Amino acid sequence: EPEVTQTPSHQVTQMGQEVILRCVPISNHLYFYWYRQILGQKVEFLVSFYNNEISEKSEIFDDQFSVERPDGSNFTLKIRSTKLEDSAMYFCASSENWSDQETQYFGPGTRLLVL
Amino acid sequence: RKEVEQDPGPFNVPEGATVAFNCTYSNSASQSFFWYRQDCRKEPKLLMSVYSSGNEDGRFTAQLNRASQYISLLIRDSKLSDSATYLCVVNIGDSSYKLIFGSGTRLLVRP
């Protein structure tokens, strides 16, 4: 069964450093998402992306965050200058179509720890 | 008021028990509803979509009450492998396809 993959599985960084989290969505999917989950809290939407553009972003997704699809397979989330509160599990998701009924498939996540 | 609200649990039940999860949502314009399952330190996985007429998938039954803005999930004959956190998820639709998650209800099924 096709699946979303993410690398790295774990990342430890110093506050103020830049990190890039990578995702490979399911191959025929066109819609991509990033969510995060702070330890012990709920999953929160960050951003959705289609046709090389951000479709929607949350209040969390400020100027420190950016997304990119640098080639035909990867989808990345960059945090320019990490803060302690960015420590969380970051999940990438993808869907084939753009509808409210469409299933979003989640990757296994990248656990980011900012020290 | 939280957008999606769930009892945090945990629910601790013996194998074979029937367990019910409840969820309320605040936005009456919400279009789509789902139950996801999340194992410890893993990604959310879709368990089932919830349709207006209610729907069943094996031991799992989901119900939606739009008037009360209430969603439920019933698990019959619970198995040890059902132990997980169950996430109530809502999609407002209307050109927004972000998923809005509840905090989840933790289920522990004991032998």
Side-chain angles (χ1 to χ4, degrees):
Chain A
E1 183 179 316
E3 56 186 23
V4 177
T5 59
Q6 290 185 243
T7 53
S9 58
H10 294 79
Q11 173 112 32
V12 181
T13 190
Q14 295 289 327
M15 191 169 58
Q17 294 297 302
E18 175 183 285
V19 294
I20 297 176
L21 310 183
R22 292 182 167 78
C23 168
V24 178
I26 294 173
S27 62
N28 63 329
H29 287 189
L30 299 175
Y31 304 91
F32 315 118
Y33 314 83
W34 283 101
Y35 293 81
R36 80 169 186 192
Q37 186 175 28
I38 294 170
L39 189 63
Q41 297 187 22
K42 64 180 182 178
V43 177
E44 300 174 289
F45 169 80
L46 292 178
V47 66
S48 58
F49 189 87
Y50 168 69
N51 200 25
N52 285 319
E53 285 185 352
I54 290 174
S55 303
E56 185 178 5
K57 58 184 181 180
S58 71
E59 291 175 356
I60 303 167
F61 195 89
D62 62 22
D63 292 344
Q64 292 300 311
F65 291 87
S66 62
V67 288
E68 194 178 30
R69 187 151 164 85
D71 55 44
S73 59
N74 288 286
F75 178 51
T76 61
L77 174 69
K78 182 193 290 186
I79 309 175
R80 260 180 274 283
S81 177
T82 50
K83 302 189 280 286
L84 296 176
E85 54 264 37
D86 292 328
S87 295
M89 181 75 103
Y90 287 81
F91 294 110
C92 174
S94 69
S95 64
E96 187 173 0
N97 291 308
W98 187 249
S99 83
D100 56 279
Q101 279 292 341
E102 193 68 21
T103 298
Q104 294 182 23
Y105 295 87
F106 284 75
T110 293
R111 185 169 297 281
L112 176 65
L113 178 61
V114 182
L115 301 176
Chain B
R1 184 179 170 187
K2 290 181 185 175
E3 291 181 285
V4 180
E5 201 148 1
Q6 297 181 249
D7 183 334
F11 292 1
N12 191 324
V13 303
E15 259 187 301
T18 295
V19 60
F21 302 104
N22 303 316
C23 168
T24 56
Y25 59 95
S26 61
N27 190 330
S28 59
S30 299
Q31 297 291 318
S32 305
F33 311 90
F34 310 89
W35 284 101
Y36 275 72
R37 168 196 169 126
Q38 186 174 31
D39 292 287
C40 189
R41 296 179 175 265
K42 300 284 190 181
E43 74 271 27
K45 289 188 177 177
L46 179 68
L47 182 64
M48 58 196 303
S49 300
V50 187
Y51 303 117
S52 296
S53 53
N55 48 300
E56 190 173 305
D57 182 2
R59 298 182 293 109
F60 300 86
T61 301
Q63 298 277 352
L64 169 64
N65 184 323
R66 284 188 185 269
S68 303
Q69 295 176 211
Y70 171 89
I71 308 160
S72 67
L73 174 69
L74 189 76
I75 305 177
R76 289 181 298 280
D77 187 24
S78 52
K79 314 288 184 195
L80 296 177
S81 56
D82 294 333
S83 296
T85 296
Y86 290 82
L87 307 175
C88 178
V89 183
V90 170
N91 187 322
I92 293 173
D94 191 24
S95 300
S96 170
Y97 301 120
K98 66 181 182 185
L99 298 179
I100 301 171
F101 286 77
S103 299
T105 302
R106 193 163 161 229
L107 172 66
L108 302 171
V109 181
R110 63 181 188 271

